[in-house]
Amino acid sequence: ELEEYKSIANLTSIGIGTIARVILYPDSSEKMIYSIRLLCELQIPYLVVGRMSNVLFSKDIFDGVIIVTTKIDGYILAESKIVISCGASVAKMAHDAKEKNLGGFEGLIGIPGTLGGMIKSNAGAYGCEIADTFVRAFVYDVSRAQVRVMTKDDMQFSYRHSVLKDNNLVLLSAEFEPIYRPYDEICTLMMANKDRRLASQPHGIPSL
């Protein structure tokens, strides 16, 4: 799916956007990789984004291709591991995971971004970071034109930072080791964190 010469304002949480020459919506990692390879060969500028909850464009027109990952949104919930695709909502996944007593994401439920942006910036809140339960990631190395598996050490997580910020790497999916917790305990933690967020941050209005 693609759109041409369209504003992305309604795709961002701040409601401010650029006019993109082309917006692509790949529905698989394979299609996204193919698109990136083709754009590199043609030397066309591109940008990979998710829900753009922390993005503010500086130009009125982006003369290139914006690749939106939100259709690559699957995840697998198992007792010993959770596998999440780059465009998935971590908040939605966490709510589904609690039905299986799988926790470790309670502090992240109010963060509106998709997995890609959350790993890139090691998103976190209330003593919980995306790196806490992280095991490994599958990324596309644009410079080498190959898929790589990266461990937690490879990711170089620190406060609001990962190696994805410094290199030409695009997240495809990631694997996590959940923390087993009783359902009621997970719900209590989620509600407490949600209340703290609603009490301290804008709600229902355009915001970054």
Side-chain angles (χ1 to χ4, degrees):
E1 182 182 347
L2 66 85
E3 296 175 307
E4 296 183 89
Y5 293 101
K6 181 175 179 178
S7 169
I8 62 153
N10 66 336
L11 300 178
T12 71
S13 64
I14 193 67
I16 299 172
T18 184
I19 301 294
R21 179 177 167 189
V22 173
I23 306 175
L24 282 183
Y25 300 89
D27 58 10
S28 70
S29 294
E30 291 78 13
K31 290 180 182 179
M32 181 164 68
I33 290 172
Y34 175 82
S35 300
I36 292 172
R37 284 179 172 169
L38 182 61
L39 293 169
C40 288
E41 289 175 7
L42 298 175
Q43 298 184 331
I44 295 174
Y46 69 91
L47 183 66
V48 180
V49 300
R51 292 177 67 181
M52 291 183 279
S53 60
N54 199 25
V55 176
L56 180 63
F57 283 87
S58 61
K59 295 181 178 179
D60 292 332
I61 296 177
F62 181 76
D63 190 25
V65 176
I66 293 179
I67 301 174
V68 181
T69 65
T70 51
K71 290 184 181 293
I72 311 173
D73 61 352
Y75 47 85
I76 300 171
L77 305 176
E79 288 187 7
S80 59
K81 70 178 181 179
I82 293 176
V83 181
I84 313 174
S85 299
C86 58
S89 163
V90 175
K92 182 177 183 300
M93 180 283 302
H95 279 290
D96 288 344
K98 79 174 186 289
E99 303 295 331
K100 298 178 179 290
N101 302 108
L102 304 177
F105 306 91
E106 292 84 356
L108 306 176
I109 61 161
I111 300 175
T114 53
L115 180 71
M118 292 182 74
I119 286 186
K120 185 174 183 177
S121 62
N122 189 21
Y126 312 126
C128 176
E129 292 183 332
I130 196 74
D132 293 344
T133 55
F134 178 92
V135 176
R136 61 178 177 168
F138 296 87
V139 304
Y140 179 62
D141 187 327
V142 179
S143 300
R144 299 181 183 180
Q146 65 181 30
V147 176
R148 295 170 56 188
V149 179
M150 302 185 70
T151 65
K152 191 169 185 176
D153 287 341
D154 294 333
M155 295 298 290
Q156 300 175 27
F157 287 118
S158 59
Y159 181 75
R160 303 301 171 259
H161 184 270
S162 77
V163 73
L164 300 186
K165 280 194 171 185
D166 305 323
N167 294 273
N168 207 359
L169 304 171
V170 177
L171 183 83
L172 303 176
S173 63
E175 179 183 322
F176 298 85
E177 184 177 4
I179 299 171
Y180 182 85
R181 287 187 174 131
Y183 174 84
D184 290 345
E185 181 180 336
I186 296 175
C187 289
T188 299
L189 289 169
M190 284 184 168
M191 287 302 300
N193 291 330
K194 181 180 178 180
D195 289 344
R196 291 171 68 182
R197 184 173 292 275
L198 289 174
S200 62
Q201 296 189 11
H203 177 65
I205 61 174
S207 172
L208 292 177

